């Protein structure tokens, strides 16, 4: 595995996953999922997104950026749940709390192309991801597009930390395996990524 990539399969027990889903349902009622579009082309993502925390990652015709308010409602994003903050404190190895939690929802057929998380100022902080619901095929590459890649199955309750050399490596979701989890009553997958955006 790429140095700095840490994988914790089954990190969250079923009861903790259920609690988190309940908290997310309330948060998404306040800050609805939106279908972002690619900069310039305006091609829609297949994933729907929202954010929690003081900053949120958005993509629209104008570009990718972090902003403090929901792109549709104009209101601040709901807070990052305590449950997630404590996971960050326990495993990130980073001394400051996350500022953004991107919520990605994968319905039928959704995937995410190879990309690097490069819109933050602080690359010394890792990005920590929590997966809920159906299992996904996660593809991990190297620092350059077109290099060698490997895949990892991310199941409900799994935590992945991309720090060190892996922090700026290409990665994406090839596909989600429908029907592999009963956590979400209408199926699908949620991926939460906790990020530090600014340099403390
Ligand atoms: C996903 N994850 O699992 C997409 N990014 O749905 C990511 O793009 C990601 O899992 C940075 C760090 C960890 C991740
Ligand atoms: Fe990413």
């Amino acid at each position: 595995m790429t140095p700095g990539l840490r994988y914790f399969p089954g990190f969250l027990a079923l009861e903790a996953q259920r609690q988190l889903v309940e908290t997310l349902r309330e948060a998404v009622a306040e800050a609805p999922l939106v279908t972002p579009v690619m900069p310039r082309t305006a091609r829609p993502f297949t994933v729907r997104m929202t954010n929690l925390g003081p900053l949120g990652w958005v993509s629209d015709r104008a570009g990718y950026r972090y902003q403090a308010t929901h792109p549709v409602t104009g209101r601040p994003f709901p807070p990052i749940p305590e449950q997630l903050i404590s996971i960050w404190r326990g495993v990130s190895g980073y001394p400051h709390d996350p500022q953004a939690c991107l919520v990605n929802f994968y319905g039928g057929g959704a995937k995410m192309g190879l990309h690097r998380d490069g819109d933050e100022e602080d690359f010394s902080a890792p990005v920590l991801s929590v997966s809920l619901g159906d299992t996904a095929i996660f593809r991990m590459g190297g620092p350059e597009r077109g290099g060698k890649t490997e895949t990892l199955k991310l199941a409900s309750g799994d935590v992945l930390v991309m720090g060190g050399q892996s922090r700026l490596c290409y990665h994406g979701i090839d596909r989600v395996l429908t029907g592999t989890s009963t956590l979400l009553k209408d199926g699908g997958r949620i991926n939460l990524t906790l990020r530090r955006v600014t340099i403390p």
Side-chain angles (χ1 to χ4, degrees):
M1 226 151 59
T2 315
L5 184 68
R6 290 186 299 147
Y7 176 45
F8 302 90
F11 187 90
L12 285 182
L14 188 56
E15 204 40 49
Q17 295 174 41
R18 288 188 178 132
Q19 238 176 60
L20 195 46
V21 169
E22 186 48 42
T23 308
L24 291 171
R25 286 196 193 288
E26 289 165 23
V28 167
E30 164 61 23
L33 291 165
V34 303
T35 299
V37 299
M38 291 294 289
R40 298 183 307 278
T41 62
R43 192 184 148 97
F45 285 49
T46 55
V47 172
R48 292 190 295 147
M49 296 182 176
T50 188
N51 288 270
L52 309 173
L55 290 172
W57 185 86
V58 300
S59 177
D60 59 22
R61 280 174 177 277
Y64 304 134
R65 67 189 170 278
Y66 281 93
Q67 64 181 43
T69 54
H70 188 280
V72 173
T73 69
R75 294 192 293 266
F77 300 107
I80 300 176
E82 273 307 318
Q83 223 185 328
L84 293 174
I85 303 274
S86 65
I87 297 171
W88 172 275
R89 289 179 182 163
V91 302
S92 73
Y94 190 78
H96 303 280
D97 282 345
Q99 294 167 303
C101 174
L102 175 62
V103 179
N104 287 152
F105 178 76
Y106 295 74
K111 53 195 166 59
M112 187 176 295
L114 276 188
H115 68 276
R116 301 202 289 184
D117 289 28
D119 300 314
E120 300 74 27
E121 294 168 11
D122 189 357
F123 296 133
S124 69
V127 176
L128 185 157
S129 99
V130 178
S131 294
L132 295 168
D134 287 339
T135 297
I137 309 291
F138 179 82
R139 186 168 293 277
M140 186 74 206
E144 312 289 345
R145 210 177 259 289
K148 206 175 100 218
T149 64
E150 58 190 349
T151 61
L152 190 63
K153 276 189 183 180
L154 294 181
S156 197
D158 291 0
V159 167
L160 188 68
V161 180
M162 284 176 55
Q165 282 183 42
S166 73
R167 175 64 181 77
L168 287 169
C169 285
Y170 281 89
H171 58 278
I173 296 291
D174 288 358
R175 64 198 187 96
V176 173
L177 308 176
T178 304
T180 46
S181 165
T182 54
L183 185 72
L184 306 177
K185 71 175 186 305
D186 298 318
R189 171 176 186 260
I190 296 169
N191 180 258
L192 306 166
T193 47
L194 296 170
R195 298 116 185 280
R196 181 76 205 178
V197 179
T198 63
I199 295 168

